[in-house]
Amino acid sequence: PFPFYRRMRESRPLFYRPEDETWQVFRYAEAEQVLNNSALFSSVRNRERGQERPLQNSILNMDPPQHRQFRSLVTQAFTPRAVAQLANRITSIVTHLLDEVTGSGTMDIIDHLAYPLPVIVIAELLGIPREDRALFKTWSDAVVNGVDGRGQNRPQPAMSDYFLQVIEERHKEPQDDLMSALLNAQVDGHHLSRQELLGFCILLLVAGNETTTNLIGNALLCLDEQPDSMEQLYAAPDLIPGAVEEVLRYRSPVQLTGRIALADTVLGNQHIQAGQRVVANIGSANRDEAQFPDPDRFDIRRSPNHHLAFGHGIHFCLGAPLARLETKIALTLLLERFQDIRRVPQVPLEPGESILMHGVKHLPVTFRQRP
Ligand code: HEM
């Protein structure tokens, strides 16, 4: 999509399509303004379209003041500190996943690492017992497919029952997991209701899994395309966090997010009318030459790098510290163990099916075990 984005930034940075009453925003400046102004650009997206969607009532679709209250409840449980404490667990999960492929000299980055890792981490965070993990994975796929419009559009009843049961168990007997912390959180004496907690668990599956899978896959894709960068990371692994930020900018896993204008306004030099939809093209904003010098160059030392890959403003991704940590650990261990990691060029890259996302379905590589 990147050459298309460039043409649009140059020729029609705000592009209106009457068929769906939607403005497409391609430049960084206006995309940031849209995400930054929740009073003017609402996240309550589905109301006039009359569609039932599983995440209609999630935090992603709330405006203030409801959003503020819900967000402060969930951030109490989902703190950067709680996430940092997961580092050891993530390391052992990645180690285990890499153990499975080490002898063979070949692996699919997606199937063997990028796909299972976030699912296992979320399952553990929520306190799902190991024996139920396969079930959990099937549900998580079904939910993601539903949101993309490919599968059934509703979370499976069995999954809801299962989560409600876990919620009850944690209510009776709190554990050291996110579910218990979420049950415990309160703002002005308010707790999350069972239904709210259920909705939030489902959101975590949708918001956290495919996105993180794509980030890890895209990282390997970028490094395969830029062997110099790969060499630099071998020589100086402390550059890995900066490289992850550059992957987020250069191949943003989430390419766009939408809002609805609440009042007539001017954006760029266009008049937007109340009720029209506005799409912030994150993937294009992150390649905007007005914000990033030489934007089509992948530069792991780029600084500053204020990309919009995790959004901006009040809806800024709650899972950003977790996604960054998982990706950093995955890359660190991959490079520690393997050298000469190369994509198998005979297998053509197949993009994922959702237009919201940027990533590949498979990424087979060969490697040699480091001595
Ligand atoms: C929100 C991207 C991983 C949970 C967002 C938004 C973006 C985003 C762009 C803002 C959407 C908007 O403003 O409309 C990403 C990317 C990820 C990632 C690129 C991985 C590379 C995760 C993970 C979790 C998570 C791992 C949780 C486990 C959330 C939640 C929100 C959110 C709960 C809603 C926050 C709110 O509405 O206040 N994410 N995300 N995300 N993300 Fe992520």
Side-chain angles (χ1 to χ4, degrees):
F2 300 108
F4 164 73
Y5 289 156
R6 171 185 287 274
R7 285 200 303 279
M8 295 308 278
R9 284 192 306 273
E10 282 163 6
S11 60
R12 296 157 134 185
L14 266 89
F15 175 61
Y16 185 67
R17 290 215 328 186
E19 306 93 280
D20 43 15
E21 297 178 59
T22 300
W23 289 91
Q24 295 286 340
V25 175
F26 290 98
R27 286 187 186 157
Y28 186 98
E30 289 92 9
E32 189 188 30
Q33 279 177 48
V34 169
L35 298 180
N36 217 8
N37 193 341
S38 61
L40 206 48
F41 299 104
S42 164
S43 288
V44 183
R45 287 167 264 225
N46 298 325
R47 58 184 160 202
E48 83 286 286
R49 307 173 88 210
Q51 285 170 322
E52 267 285 321
R53 295 198 186 178
L55 294 178
Q56 191 143 332
N57 301 317
S58 87
I59 182 173
L60 268 171
N61 287 5
M62 289 176 192
D63 285 342
Q66 198 196 5
H67 176 269
R68 196 175 311 120
Q69 197 184 31
F70 195 93
R71 175 119 182 171
S72 57
L73 271 169
V74 295
T75 45
Q76 284 175 35
F78 216 87
T79 58
R81 228 183 104 239
V83 169
Q85 284 169 354
L86 289 171
N88 289 339
R89 274 305 299 151
I90 297 172
T91 301
S92 78
I93 296 165
V94 174
T95 302
H96 177 76
L97 291 171
L98 295 184
D99 283 346
E100 304 269 296
V101 297
T102 295
S104 68
T106 147
M107 70 183 285
D108 186 328
I109 294 292
I110 306 296
D111 292 352
H112 295 119
L113 178 64
Y115 180 81
L117 176 61
V119 181
I120 299 173
V121 172
I122 299 264
E124 289 210 355
L125 256 177
L126 289 172
I128 308 296
R130 197 174 289 251
E131 60 270 20
D132 293 341
R133 210 173 274 159
L135 204 58
F136 181 79
K137 200 158 132 181
T138 326
W139 287 333
S140 141
D141 292 347
V143 175
V144 172
N145 291 345
V147 169
D148 288 356
R150 277 180 280 156
Q152 63 275 65
N153 229 358
R154 231 170 279 266
Q156 318 211 331
M159 175 173 76
S160 302
D161 290 347
Y162 178 89
F163 274 129
L164 287 170
Q165 193 193 324
V166 178
I167 291 169
E168 278 324 309
E169 281 169 19
R170 291 305 184 282
H171 183 64
K172 290 200 196 99
E173 213 175 310
Q175 310 271 322
D176 186 18
D177 58 31
L178 182 68
M179 195 79 94
S180 307
L182 285 167
L183 269 166
N184 202 29
Q186 51 172 307
V187 168
D188 308 332
H190 288 284
H191 285 277
L192 289 173
S193 72
R194 301 285 194 276
Q195 281 304 319
E196 285 171 332
L197 190 46
L198 172 66
F200 187 67
C201 293
I202 295 170
L203 173 67
L204 290 183
L205 302 185
V206 179
N209 285 348
E210 194 176 353
T211 47
T212 309
T213 298
N214 285 345
L215 176 57
I216 296 172
N218 292 353
L220 267 296
L221 207 52
C222 289
L223 294 176
D224 183 71
E225 288 165 343
Q226 338 277 334
D228 308 356
S229 302
M230 181 92 95
E231 285 315 311
Q232 287 178 40
L233 295 186
Y234 273 115
D238 55 320
L239 295 176
I240 288 175
V244 174
E245 294 310 303
E246 184 65 345
V247 175
L248 281 160
R249 183 192 73 84
Y250 193 81
R251 288 186 177 275
S252 309
V254 174
Q255 288 280 300
L256 55 93
T257 182
R259 298 289 189 264
I260 291 176
L262 291 178
D264 293 0
T265 185
V266 175
L267 184 66
N269 51 9
Q270 301 286 349
H271 290 269
I272 312 250
Q273 285 168 23
Q276 292 176 336
R277 280 165 45 84
V278 181
V279 170
N281 285 282
I282 291 172
S284 174
N286 284 343
R287 297 281 191 120
D288 188 341
E289 32 292 290
Q291 176 70 18
F292 302 100
D294 206 356
D296 294 328
R297 198 170 96 85
F298 179 79
D299 177 4
I300 61 174
R301 293 171 193 267
R302 186 178 289 276
S303 172
N305 191 353
H306 299 301
H307 60 72
L308 301 179
F310 288 122
H312 184 74
I314 63 167
H315 290 278
F316 182 84
C317 178
L318 199 62
L322 181 59
R324 285 174 165 137
L325 184 65
E326 288 179 36
T327 308
K328 180 184 112 174
I329 293 174
L331 290 182
T332 305
L333 295 191
L334 260 178
L335 300 193
E336 241 171 59
R337 280 204 183 193
F338 303 153
Q339 59 194 28
D340 301 327
I341 303 172
R342 300 238 166 75
R343 176 164 94 79
V344 178
Q346 290 81 3
V347 181
L349 291 175
E350 209 187 325
E353 267 150 57
S354 164
I355 57 147
L356 294 177
M357 304 273 191
H358 177 75
V360 290
K361 283 189 177 167
H362 295 285
L363 189 52
V365 298
T366 55
F367 57 81
R368 284 193 304 132
Q369 203 170 331
R370 282 179 88 171

